[in-house]
């Protein structure tokens, strides 16, 4: 059992619970959808990415904030600055702010990720 803080020391901040559609499961293409944190009154933006094609993935890009990648299914190779990290389903990878990064499907089969941008808005510069 976790007991990291005293709940009596934190009160509601007035934001209501919220719901948004992240992606349509029947949609085609690798970019399934995104929800900016501002849409839900939150501090993070969430993206869903998936591809069945080995070697396919987002182009090299950079953000002014951290990005956390969660591999939901399959295997991916992440290129984060000068570091290469292979990760599989159930693992997470951090792309620190200001470090160019990309990833690709290692196969076989589908790669599905949830990408968490540590910002209420999606801010990105593509480098390729």
């Amino acid at each position: 059992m976790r007991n990291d803080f005293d709940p009596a020391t934190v009160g509601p901040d007035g934001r209501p619970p919220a719901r948004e559609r992240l992606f349509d499961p029947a949609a085609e293409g690798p970019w399934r959808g995104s929800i900016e944190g501002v849409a839900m009154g939150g501090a993070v933006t969430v993206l869903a990415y998936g591809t069945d094609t080995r070697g396919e993935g987002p182009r090299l890009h950079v953000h002014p904030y951290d990005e956390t990648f969660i591999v939901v299914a399959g295997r991916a190779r992440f290129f984060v600055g000068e570091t290469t990290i292979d990760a599989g389903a159930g693992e997470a990878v951090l792309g620190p702010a200001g470090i160019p990064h990309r990833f690709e499907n290692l196969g076989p089969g589908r790669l599905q990720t949830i990408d968490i941008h540590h910002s209420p808005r999606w801010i990105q510069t593509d480098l390729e």
Side-chain angles (χ1 to χ4, degrees):
M1 181 171 153
R2 293 187 65 134
N3 189 13
D4 296 330
F5 74 102
D6 179 357
T9 65
V10 179
D13 64 8
R15 290 177 298 146
R19 181 186 70 155
E20 295 283 335
R21 178 178 290 279
L22 176 58
F23 65 92
D24 176 355
E28 296 293 325
W31 290 106
R32 296 300 173 97
S34 65
I35 300 172
E36 288 197 330
V38 294
M40 293 180 58
V44 299
T45 295
V46 180
L47 285 69
Y49 179 87
T51 182
D52 296 305
T53 305
R54 185 181 288 210
E56 186 174 287
R59 63 182 59 139
L60 185 68
H61 62 277
V62 65
H63 308 285
Y65 48 76
D66 291 347
E67 183 174 9
T68 301
F69 305 94
I70 301 168
V71 180
V72 177
R75 297 180 322 125
R77 177 160 291 148
F78 292 84
F79 302 92
V80 184
E82 300 298 317
T83 303
T84 301
I85 300 170
D86 289 353
E91 295 183 304
V93 173
L94 175 67
I99 298 180
H101 56 271
R102 68 182 184 86
F103 61 88
E104 61 187 34
N105 183 359
L106 285 176
R110 182 163 190 76
L111 169 64
Q112 185 68 55
T113 67
I114 297 294
D115 308 337
I116 302 168
H117 291 234
H118 296 243
S119 169
R121 295 207 180 271
W122 183 1
I123 304 167
Q124 175 172 309
T125 296
D126 292 336
L127 302 173
E128 292 182 329

